[in-house]
Amino acid sequence: DDCTDPDPSTPAIVIAGGQTLVCEFGTIPNAASRTVTITATSSAADCANGITNTATIDADADTDTSAASNSSTAHIDVDCPAIVVEKTPDEDTSQPLDPAANDIVVGDQATFVIKVRNTSLTAEARDVDLLDVLPDVDELAAPIAWSIVTSPAGSTTLANCTITDPVSGDHAAAGEVLSCVDNTIAANTFQQVTVTATTDAGECGSLANPEATATAGNDGSSTDAGEIDVLCPDPSVVKSAVATPITAGDEASFTITVTAGGTGDSSGVT
């Protein structure tokens, strides 16, 4: 009741940033004190400089009006998380010395691992959401079906992850969309989600996953891309006569040449 409320309609005294809280304590008995506690919700904008607050007093018959006696300043450091998305495989970043690190052969599983890392050493990341429009080279002709990998343990540690194929909104007709919501990531740790799909001839070439985006309620956002090269072998056979015509009684000989064409190694050739 000693402090002035700029908005009496609210159930508590609310002072906006930049406003001054004024409290009229009247007479305080010798050696007694009065205490006021103020609170505010910090934000990422406070991380650079923290929160500083100064209180000053004025009284009748004050024998020491120096700043040291009549003013006091306190400071709160605000630690912020720093989230970073890391998507693999991507030959440009995950294995820069091995251009084949992200190669698979058609029919194999295409697998992306998406990590959301909190690089802060002190602050946890809260309300972390991840959104990834999963690649689909030709959804209408042969849609690729993605699924979340849960085995072995640790394959997926982000919570509340789903894959949907939205029919409306920003990502309608874009293929399947991965989303993970409402996660907390401790300082200097990461959480991840693993997705996989079986490839077919419709995915020959580059299976690009251009952008996974993570956002934190108490930080900004981060994006990263990934790419898998789907190799499509195309073996062929050519048979030719060694000589023709030949004379009856001579040996008839054919040369049969099998060539591994297309991209990638041809396996199981008979």
Side-chain angles (χ1 to χ4, degrees), residues 25 52 168 182:
F25 295 122
T52 299
S168 61
D182 298 333

Side-chain angles (χ1 to χ4, degrees), residues 11 15 48 72 118 147 252-253:
I15 304 293
S72 180
N118 179 10
S147 60
S253 298

Side-chain angles (χ1 to χ4, degrees), residues 195-217:
V195 294
T196 190
T198 303
T199 57
D200 59 28
E203 282 75 54
C204 288
S206 175
L207 192 60
N209 192 355
E211 186 174 289
T213 302
T215 59

